[in-house]
Amino acid sequence: LPAISRLKIGTMKLGEEKRGVRLGEGVLGVALWHWQDLKVQEIYVTVYAKHKELILLLDKFGFECYGEKKNGEKVYAKNRKNVDVTDPYKSFPFISGDFERAGILAIRGDFHDLIFPYSELRGVKQNFEEVVAGNGITKAYIAFPQGEVSYREGCPVFIYRQAKDGEGTKRYKSCITSVGTVTKISVIKNRGVALESLEDFVRQAGNKTIFKESELEDWHKNKKNLVVIELVYNKA
């Protein structure tokens, strides 16, 4: 490989009790944000073939296998000059400029602070409570639209934090804190007709949302229109 500036991701091992809480995706996202800010051309990590879940995660976020070291470690790297902008995950944290429209998703301040923990606001005291949905880079936005959802996969969206009670006049305290990219849209119910089962709805929302399964069940039963907008958290 040519001699260019590269950022190396070190190794961190999580205990078994931390499996399934999306820390792997979250740590990789933080590393890629740091790489973006440093403006270094490449970022890489070494991994043994036996770590199949990690390799799948690296592949999902656009890393490619460049070769293998003498000790058997594979070298996975990502080059900012060769980013696959057709896939929001492979291009993360960058956003493709090839889009026709963008959107805004409004989120209540208390929900926002849990699911977008890196989007801190100056002058606003935020009491953070760790939730699994906040760890990962993939988020699930639950919506009850009155009509057809205008967003499409690949559409950039701005996250609009609606000020909480006690933070001052909401008109002046609400603001855009983050940007993401829509990766999937699932219409769960339309005009009172369930298009997907409760089990499928709960599975899609999963640990990508802060809501309890009992809340999801209530919405699936009682809401006329129900949509899940999955997105990747590109930048605070």
Side-chain angles (χ1 to χ4, degrees), residues 13-24 51-54 132 135 207:
K13 187 173 181 179
L14 298 176
E16 286 296 322
E17 69 277 7
K18 289 296 182 182
R19 291 178 65 84
V21 295
R22 310 184 67 213
L23 285 174
H51 297 297
K52 293 181 172 58
E53 289 186 16
L54 176 56
V132 173
N135 293 333
N207 57 11

Side-chain angles (χ1 to χ4, degrees), residues 189 198 215-224 226:
K189 289 186 70 176
L198 171 62
E215 294 175 286
L216 301 179
E217 185 176 351
D218 177 66
W219 294 335
H220 190 273
K221 179 180 179 181
N222 297 309
K223 291 295 183 180
K224 186 176 180 180
L226 183 59

Side-chain angles (χ1 to χ4, degrees), residues 33-157:
W33 281 333
H34 186 56
W35 170 58
Q36 181 185 33
D37 292 339
L38 287 178
K39 296 180 172 58
V40 177
Q41 185 172 329
E42 281 190 355
I43 183 170
Y44 78 101
V45 62
T46 58
V47 59
Y48 288 104
K50 65 180 180 180
H51 297 297
K52 293 181 172 58
E53 289 186 16
L54 176 56
I55 289 174
L56 288 173
L57 184 64
L58 293 170
D59 179 68
K60 178 180 179 179
F61 279 87
F63 284 77
E64 297 180 11
C65 184
Y66 275 37
E68 187 174 307
K69 297 168 65 177
K70 291 181 180 179
N71 65 358
E73 282 185 301
K74 294 181 181 295
V75 178
Y76 280 81
K78 184 168 180 172
N79 191 314
R80 66 195 301 145
K81 292 186 177 181
N82 189 30
V83 173
D84 181 2
V85 296
T86 64
D87 185 313
Y89 285 102
K90 291 187 183 299
S91 63
F92 180 91
F94 304 104
I95 294 177
S96 170
D98 185 22
F99 62 90
E100 295 180 356
R101 59 184 300 175
I104 291 180
L105 293 178
I107 301 181
R108 275 175 39 182
D110 47 350
F111 295 158
H112 171 280
D113 296 348
L114 290 173
I115 200 168
F116 294 103
Y118 296 101
S119 300
E120 301 98 337
L121 300 178
R122 290 191 184 95
V124 175
K125 184 178 180 181
Q126 293 174 254
N127 297 316
F128 288 109
E129 173 190 347
E130 185 180 353
V131 295
V132 173
N135 293 333
I137 298 303
T138 306
K139 312 293 182 181
Y141 183 94
I142 312 297
F144 318 120
Q146 296 299 313
E148 183 182 356
V149 175
S150 60
Y151 304 110
R152 296 291 180 266
E153 293 181 11
C155 171
V157 288

